[in-house]
Amino acid sequence: SLRPGLRKLCVMGSATLQSTDLTDAQFNKISVLVKDLCGISLSISKKGLVQARLNKRLRKLGFSDYDEYIEHIRRDRAGDELTAMLDAISTNLTSFFREADHFEYLGREVLGRIATRAAAGSDRRLRIWSAGCSSGEEPYSLAITVNENIPNIKAWDAAILATDLSTEILDRAKKGVYSAERIKAVPPQLRQRYMRCTETRPERIYQVNENLRSLVHFSRLNLMGSWPMQGPFDVIFCRNVMIYFDKSTQRRLVERFRGILSPGGTLFIGHSESLGANHSFRYIQPTVYEKR
């Protein structure tokens, strides 16, 4: 028979996989840990998802219940398991050129304006930040947009910072390797220009080329912690990230973004997000804002 708190998930031959029940009280403890560390608010509706993802951690570490696991996290001074837990519960839904109107506006208006200033004698400096970059599709889409809209970008002091909370997802992003299915939103001419096919069987696999990857710098960053970069940034993409924060955390984060943007810098947020009524940005169009 199974110990208390355990239930049978499935039986495969003689191997029995077990899943540990997560009580409401244990979920609340985990929610507090996550909120204190990175500002993410986990509603009780996420309990099933959290349990499904963290059961893998419990099995790997050999814990029989969540109280043991929570105590292990609290004793872990290095924070390794806390990082692993956040990796496990993070949602990393993304795609190339997601919300395509953002990239069109970025290329046409923002980069066009910056390139015009540079041609008139301004410094050829460009800084873009992808905050919550997930598996890399967003920053590589930004890099393609930069290359397509600024001639001879190699002669510029240009860099794209790509940050995420998940170390696991960052390791994947740095490689820039994607299946044909993952790059289907990339137009064929851009795919030919910026990617190469590295495998054809059992499915086609592509890798972003070195010139594009060299423009993007990946780093782990907790948006609620200190920011080692000084900026200023010309553009910040923080899309579909703030939906996980409560309103007060969102307001603080938006003001921090404003502080690290250059004058006239542009902030892009997700189409399911809003800056609310009280903010100090100039509204440009839905989900696009400019520092006053």
Side-chain angles (χ1 to χ4, degrees), residues 19-292:
S19 176
T20 306
D21 286 330
L22 176 64
T23 68
D24 287 352
Q26 291 165 340
F27 175 80
N28 289 336
K29 290 178 183 178
I30 290 173
S31 298
V32 170
L33 284 172
V34 172
K35 178 68 183 298
D36 289 346
L37 177 74
C38 59
I40 294 176
S41 297
L42 294 173
S43 65
I44 193 65
S45 65
K46 301 290 186 182
K47 178 184 167 185
L49 180 144
V50 170
Q51 175 176 305
R53 294 186 177 182
L54 291 188
N55 273 334
K56 297 177 183 178
R57 296 301 308 162
L58 267 68
R59 288 196 295 269
K60 181 175 181 178
L61 296 170
F63 292 125
S64 61
D65 63 56
Y66 276 94
D67 287 332
E68 289 181 311
Y69 181 64
I70 292 168
E71 185 59 30
H72 171 69
I73 291 174
R74 288 173 171 164
R75 291 197 308 265
D76 180 17
R77 295 185 180 276
D80 293 338
E81 184 53 35
L82 194 53
T83 298
M85 180 186 73
L86 293 171
D87 283 353
I89 66 176
S90 296
T91 300
N92 296 296
L93 177 64
T94 186
S95 62
F96 278 92
F97 296 104
R98 186 182 186 188
E99 300 174 1
D101 57 310
H102 283 167
F103 296 94
E104 293 168 4
Y105 183 85
L106 173 67
R108 183 183 69 251
E109 300 293 337
V110 180
L111 296 179
R113 183 169 62 244
I114 291 172
T116 298
R117 286 203 306 262
S122 297
D123 292 338
R124 293 184 173 186
R125 181 186 182 279
L126 176 65
R127 292 292 184 273
I128 299 177
W129 179 12
S130 170
C133 67
S134 188
S135 48
E137 287 91 335
E138 179 176 277
Y140 289 132
S141 297
L142 290 169
I144 291 173
T145 305
V146 167
N147 273 269
E148 288 294 298
N149 288 277
I150 297 184
N152 196 23
I153 190 63
K154 288 183 178 180
W156 284 55
D157 174 16
I160 297 170
L161 174 64
T163 66
D164 202 277
L165 189 61
S166 169
T167 52
E168 180 180 352
I169 207 71
L170 285 170
D171 289 340
R172 288 168 49 192
K174 290 173 185 177
K175 297 173 183 176
V177 175
Y178 304 96
S179 67
E181 176 68 19
R182 297 290 293 274
I183 67 167
K184 64 182 181 181
V186 181
Q189 69 273 20
L190 297 182
R191 190 182 311 163
Q192 184 175 6
R193 199 172 300 160
Y194 298 108
M195 300 176 178
R196 64 186 181 90
C197 182
T198 58
E199 296 180 34
T200 57
R201 294 180 180 178
E203 63 176 330
R204 297 182 72 85
I205 301 296
Y206 292 82
Q207 183 172 34
V208 175
N209 68 29
E210 176 59 31
N211 287 338
L212 212 61
R213 282 185 286 136
S214 66
L215 190 60
V216 182
H217 304 273
F218 290 96
S219 181
R220 183 181 183 275
L221 183 73
N222 180 354
L223 288 174
M224 296 300 105
S226 60
W227 295 356
M229 63 283 192
Q230 297 182 356
F233 288 94
D234 303 288
V235 175
I236 295 176
F237 269 55
C238 184
R239 307 183 307 163
N240 308 303
V241 173
M242 291 191 291
I243 54 175
Y244 299 105
F245 302 148
D246 60 27
K247 294 298 182 183
S248 62
T249 303
Q250 290 176 11
R251 286 193 294 270
R252 291 195 301 271
L253 183 59
V254 167
E255 284 307 304
R256 291 184 77 184
F257 283 148
R258 185 182 183 279
I260 206 167
L261 273 169
S262 59
T266 310
L267 172 65
F268 293 83
I269 64 174
H271 283 291
S272 59
E273 298 170 319
S274 171
L275 295 192
N278 300 314
H279 62 82
S280 52
F281 281 84
R282 184 167 73 91
Y283 173 86
I284 302 299
Q285 63 184 46
T287 67
V288 179
Y289 299 84
E290 188 175 282
K291 180 177 177 178
R292 296 180 189 273

